[in-house]
């Protein structure tokens, strides 16, 4: 069970935009709370992105309305009017004032069915409750699993679907997200909603969320594509009365966001495992990590459980970063074992079969070090197999 | 039949570095001729790259020796000595002086079997002849087809394996290349050798080759990975006595290189079709074209013959280039038909089934225009299907 921060209610209903599962979800704040948002940098954006960004200029939110099944993107003027209407209908249904953010995910280039959506919003107040599960279901598209993470403030250990313990806490952070499944006929929208009852009113929470996202969701790659509808929101009710420092809040929120990002990578399209690519040293370890994590050759090798150090080193070499291969050390960490595959410019005498067996694990770390004293940067990715091709080639628009 | 420029002889023999087909190929020039080379920018390079680059500082070549089956990369000091030895053995076998370039392609991280290779080189003089076919076979690795292209100087139309006519010519350009097949356990080395009997002694042929490569091989993407061993060489015998201007020579050599680049894309791993991505307008059409051409979502859609305009527009939108989607026009050209899929910010009312049928063609052009008055840039790519995963995941090192 997650620890749900005080001050928030949730609803999720099915209005028929998707074939199954809830498709309209609302997070209702008891009052207007400080909030921040991070939005896709794609030049081709859904109207919900521009709308919610402008709503957040007021730096607070009273509610969030999300629909799945239709991204309301490439839908012209009508799409913009529909986004605004979603916020208005939510305001009327719950009889609330204050800023309302809108997020949409699903098929693009098709008009939103506002008749269905209006019915769904109107039915939402009756479903309002403390359990976020109906909301969580309402934001999913082709995700195979629900993704949530929560943390008792002051704890180091996240609670999530694979580790569903309970911790007592004065204050907590709870995050839910969707992503990695393809949306017919389009791309993998990532939506993330992080709520907390920490009092962050004294902090720059936009900077807080941006910094946390840069270490988590912005370190995530399934196929290198950035969606038109990506959005992460943070809302802080302050109900716990706990006022952390910026660094304390950043640490806690980043832990939840990193955990969510890993869950998305693990549920990547057709993925069989989470790949964590760590690079240490050189003037741009992040760019090298990203190049390795995006390489189809590396990702297919990991799918095939093949300890193919050459592909990893070659991807590093083409990242556009000056580096000295003769001092590189490459380790693969999987299934509790660590294997040195390449050291000082030459391959080591490792046992391919043993490494291959370890690579069957659900979590594989590729650790490439050019200088142990340098900075370490991490990218979260997944392997690349037949499932990815099946999902993305066999679907027809 | 290709038109083979005067002044060159070829050999190809099998010494056992590969399981089948020739694996040692030599181009012998009748004399030392002006030459230029373009080399991989990967920071992790084979010793043949550094060796041949330094050989070409003299701006002429007497011969080129190529082996396939072993890339002689990540092989340390011994690898460097073996590269130098390959040049020496070639010099001895043919009793020639002058600069000799070395190229290698194949498995990486394994020492070259110099005993086999020395026998292969020693056997080469007896096989020397005017037919480049044995050489062409000797440079292949997992390529499915041989790739060559030739042009009669002054003609617009290349002669190649799909269009094997004969043209009379005073002077000609002939190019041969390999690439796109994965090399166990590693990456797709691209080797290209372009020879001509034009007299280019009055021109800056390094600049000529660089400019031609920038419009051809550097516009090519199979999976975005750049190999450790990539090399393109140009040698001009001058035997025709024909002295073109820089622009005439550039036009002819570029035609041959573009044709070779398309052949490589078409033979991409698991590819079923050549994708030509053209972008017109904006401040960086090349970057947008490259982003679309590298997108796994676009490439899988093309494999599935799915007219998925959303993925194309979304890839353009994330290229990091400022653009206005509301003026974009997206056409798909395939099978002799042109389809407008997206215009002025919204999808058109095209017939998906008709487009899907046309997309079964072996050559598909994606044409995205932001401003008809702007520059057009082109990238050559291929689709992405089960074959890619099979080739790259099921091979074990």
């Amino acid at each position: 069970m997650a620890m749900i921060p005080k001050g928030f209610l949730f609803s999720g209903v099915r209005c028929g935009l998707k074939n199954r599962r809830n498709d309209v979800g609302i997070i209702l704040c008891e009052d207007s709370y400080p909030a921040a948002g991070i939005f896709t940098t794609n030049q081709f954006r859904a109207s919900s992105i521009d709308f919610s960004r402008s709503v957040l200029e007021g730096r607070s939110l009273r509610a969030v309305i999300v629909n799945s099944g239709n991204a309301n993107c490439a839908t012209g003027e009508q799409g913009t009017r529909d986004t605004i209407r979603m916020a208005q209908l939510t305001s009327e249904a719950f009889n609330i004032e204050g800023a309302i953010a809108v997020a949409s995910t699903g098929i693009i280039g098709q008009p939103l069915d506002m008749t269905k959506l209006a019915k769904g919003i109107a039915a939402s107040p009756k479903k309002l409750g403390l359990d976020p599960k109906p909301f969580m279901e309402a934001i999913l598209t082709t995700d195979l699993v629900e993704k949530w993470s929560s943390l008792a403030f002051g704890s180091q250990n996240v609670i999530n679907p694979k580790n569903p313990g309970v911790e007592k806490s004065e204050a907590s952070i709870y995050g839910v997200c969707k992503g990695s499944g393809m949306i017919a006929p389009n791309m993998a929208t990532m939506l993330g909603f992080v709520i907390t009852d920490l009092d962050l009113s004294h902090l720059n929470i936009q900077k807080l969320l941006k910094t946390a996202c840069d270490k988590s969701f912005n370190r995530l790659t399934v196929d290198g594509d950035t969606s038109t509808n990506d959005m992460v929101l943070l809302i802080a009710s302050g109900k716990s009365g706990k006022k952390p420092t910026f660094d304390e809040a950043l640490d806690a929120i980043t832990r939840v966001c990193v955990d969510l990002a890993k869950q998305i990578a693990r549920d990547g399209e057709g993925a069989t495992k989470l790949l964590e690519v760590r690079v240490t040293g050189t003037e741009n370890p992040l760019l090298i990590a990203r190049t390795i994590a995006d390489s189809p050759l590396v990702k297919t090798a990991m799918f095939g459980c093949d300890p193919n150090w050459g592909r990893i080193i070659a991807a590093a070499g083409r990242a556009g970063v000056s580096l000295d291969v003769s001092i590189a050390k490459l380790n693969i960490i999987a299934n509790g074992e660590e294997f040195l595959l390449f050291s000082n410019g030459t391959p080591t005498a490792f046992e391919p079969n043993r490494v291959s067996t370890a690579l069957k694990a659900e979590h594989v770390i590729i650790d490439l070090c050019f200088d142990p004293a340098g900075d370490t940067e991490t990218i979260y990715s997944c392997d690349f197999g037949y499932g990815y091709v099946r999902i993305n080639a066999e679907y027809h628009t």
Side-chain angles (χ1 to χ4, degrees), chain A:
Chain A
M1 277 297 298
M3 292 151 293
I4 308 298
K6 294 174 280 289
F8 302 93
L9 293 166
F10 309 89
S11 71
V13 303
R14 176 157 186 269
C15 78
L17 294 176
K18 281 194 308 203
N19 290 333
R20 62 189 184 98
R21 301 202 284 205
N22 291 343
D23 45 23
V24 184
I26 290 167
I27 300 176
L28 184 71
C29 306
E30 288 178 8
D31 203 343
S32 283
Y33 296 139
I38 300 290
F39 302 94
T40 182
T41 56
N42 198 308
Q43 295 278 308
F44 177 54
R45 289 184 302 272
S47 58
S48 58
I49 296 296
D50 291 332
F51 178 81
S52 296
R53 191 199 308 271
S54 89
V55 155
L56 270 161
E57 282 172 13
R59 308 220 169 280
S60 76
L61 284 177
R62 182 66 202 274
V64 181
I65 161 104
V66 188
N67 77 277
S68 57
N70 188 315
N72 192 15
C73 182
T75 43
E77 293 293 312
Q78 186 60 46
T80 306
R81 284 193 293 271
D82 289 343
T83 294
I84 296 168
R85 186 87 187 115
M86 279 174 71
Q88 285 169 339
L89 289 169
T90 306
S91 171
E92 290 164 19
F94 291 89
N95 193 23
I96 51 173
E97 293 190 348
I100 297 175
V102 177
S104 297
T105 176
I107 195 163
I108 82 165
Q110 294 196 0
L112 206 47
D113 186 332
M114 284 306 288
T115 310
K116 285 181 180 170
L117 196 45
K119 282 184 192 161
I121 295 170
S124 293
K126 272 190 244 168
K127 299 283 183 179
L128 213 54
L130 287 164
D131 182 1
K133 193 169 164 55
F135 172 81
M136 202 153 30
E137 186 185 314
I139 68 173
L140 301 181
T141 48
T142 56
D143 302 63
L144 296 177
V145 295
E146 292 174 357
K147 300 169 187 85
W148 59 266
S149 180
S150 79
L151 185 76
F153 180 68
S155 167
Q156 309 263 310
N157 302 313
V158 291
I159 307 284
N160 63 28
K162 290 216 166 174
N163 176 30
V166 184
E167 287 205 39
K168 291 284 171 208
S169 65
E170 290 174 84
S172 66
I173 298 103
Y174 174 77
V176 53
C177 68
K178 62 96 26 177
S180 90
M182 286 300 294
I183 309 315
N186 236 285
M187 51 236 114
T189 293
M190 202 221 80
L191 299 179
F193 305 99
V194 181
I195 57 177
T196 177
D197 47 15
L198 287 168
D199 181 352
L200 307 180
S201 57
H202 56 301
L203 302 177
N204 179 343
I205 69 168
Q206 183 65 32
K207 185 178 168 192
L208 195 62
L209 180 61
K210 176 72 170 64
T211 313
C213 283
D214 280 346
K215 291 281 181 193
S216 55
F217 299 117
N218 288 338
R219 299 299 179 92
L220 179 65
T221 177
V222 170
D223 50 22
D225 272 305
T226 306
S227 152
T228 54
N229 287 49
D230 290 347
M231 183 185 304
V232 179
L233 301 179
L234 168 65
I235 314 176
S237 74
K239 284 273 185 173
S240 70
K242 189 95 191 162
K243 269 182 185 286
T245 65
F246 185 90
D247 286 349
E248 286 169 343
L250 179 61
D251 179 75
I253 289 166
T254 302
R255 278 177 200 275
V256 168
C257 291
V258 165
D259 188 48
L260 291 172
K262 287 181 177 179
Q263 291 180 43
I264 290 176
R266 177 64 191 81
D267 194 31
E269 296 168 325
T272 67
K273 67 195 68 167
L274 166 65
L275 290 187
E276 192 170 333
V277 180
R278 293 183 193 158
V279 176
T280 303
T282 79
E283 62 190 34
N284 198 338
L286 183 58
L287 184 55
I288 295 173
R290 200 177 283 282
T291 306
I292 295 169
D294 267 337
S295 163
L297 294 181
V298 172
K299 289 159 74 88
T300 46
M302 292 297 115
F303 174 72
C305 298
D306 181 9
N308 198 320
W309 55 270
R311 292 187 189 173
I312 298 167
I313 298 287
R318 73 171 166 87
V321 178
S322 172
L323 54 83
D324 181 357
V325 177
S326 75
I327 57 169
K329 280 198 169 14
L330 174 68
N331 281 284
I332 294 267
I333 303 159
N335 208 21
E337 293 185 275
E338 182 160 355
F339 303 95
L340 180 67
L341 302 189
F342 187 84
S343 182
N344 301 326
T346 46
T348 62
F350 65 89
E351 293 172 56
N353 288 344
R354 268 189 65 204
V355 186
S356 191
T357 301
L359 283 172
K360 290 177 182 159
E362 285 199 355
H363 181 191
V364 170
I365 299 170
I366 294 173
D367 187 302
L368 179 60
C369 180
F370 293 93
D371 172 10
D375 289 338
T376 298
E377 297 287 357
T378 303
I379 293 281
Y380 305 99
S381 185
C382 57
D383 62 337
F384 204 12
Y386 296 108
Y388 182 87
V389 176
R390 191 185 66 246
I391 294 167
N392 290 305
E394 295 197 357
Y395 177 83
H396 275 245
T397 45

